[in-house]
Amino acid sequence: MDCRVVVEAAVPVYDVENEDEAIRIAISKTGEMLNPDLNYVEINMGTRITPGGEELPPAFIAADEALVALELEMTVFNVEQEEHASRIARKEIGQRLENVPLKVLSVDRLEDEEEAKTDGNGDGDSDLIPEFDDLVEDD
């Protein structure tokens, strides 16, 4: 089974004046730490939500220092359980992002090619394709 794992990272950034600058620097800094070994990890801005449900910007700035929420997505191949996929993703990303807190947000199973070809009962027959016996007319 293959899984798509999304990990949230809290990336510290120093000497910034606004949120856009902090986000840009955090993405660049994270990309440098992950490349070239993990160049297949997608880096996106994270989301922060207040307890009341209000959406906040991904960067929190205080005293010209920021903490930026980023979402790192990667595909983990040939795992037996979703928990195994999350541990692999945390380990691979965590080894390169030293002193950056990580939290697994989601683990989604990717449909295998074999699963896509079957209709769920494992025989490969689709309900849209008629059986051979149905096509042969009785005389």
Side-chain angles (χ1 to χ4, degrees), residues 4-133:
R4 187 77 173 160
V5 182
V6 179
V7 178
E8 182 180 47
V11 181
V13 180
Y14 308 101
D15 297 324
V16 293
E17 296 180 13
N18 58 48
E19 293 167 356
D20 290 336
E21 181 183 17
I23 294 166
R24 189 172 26 84
I25 292 170
I27 291 173
S28 176
K29 178 181 174 180
T30 303
E32 287 176 10
M33 287 190 280
L34 293 175
N35 281 322
D37 296 331
L38 295 181
N39 60 357
Y40 49 84
V41 174
E42 295 178 28
I43 304 169
N44 301 308
M45 289 189 311
T47 56
R48 297 186 313 142
I49 299 176
T50 65
E54 182 181 338
E55 190 169 322
L56 299 171
F60 173 76
I61 299 176
D64 292 336
E65 294 186 7
L67 190 60
V68 181
L70 295 180
E71 291 181 0
L72 310 173
E73 295 182 37
M74 71 179 287
T75 302
V76 180
F77 298 98
N78 299 325
V79 293
E80 294 185 17
Q81 298 176 0
E82 292 177 5
E83 181 181 330
H84 187 214
S86 68
R87 280 189 266 135
I88 290 171
R90 276 187 60 130
K91 181 178 185 263
E92 290 295 316
I93 293 171
Q95 285 179 340
R96 285 145 185 98
L97 300 182
E98 293 184 27
N99 299 321
V100 174
L102 300 175
K103 176 185 175 185
V104 176
L105 295 179
S106 67
V107 179
D108 299 319
R109 283 185 172 183
L110 297 178
E111 190 172 292
D112 293 334
E113 289 180 23
E114 295 169 7
E115 290 176 9
K117 292 178 184 176
T118 64
D119 62 350
N121 59 10
D123 63 4
D125 291 336
S126 173
D127 294 336
L128 300 176
I129 300 173
E131 295 291 326
F132 179 73
D133 293 338

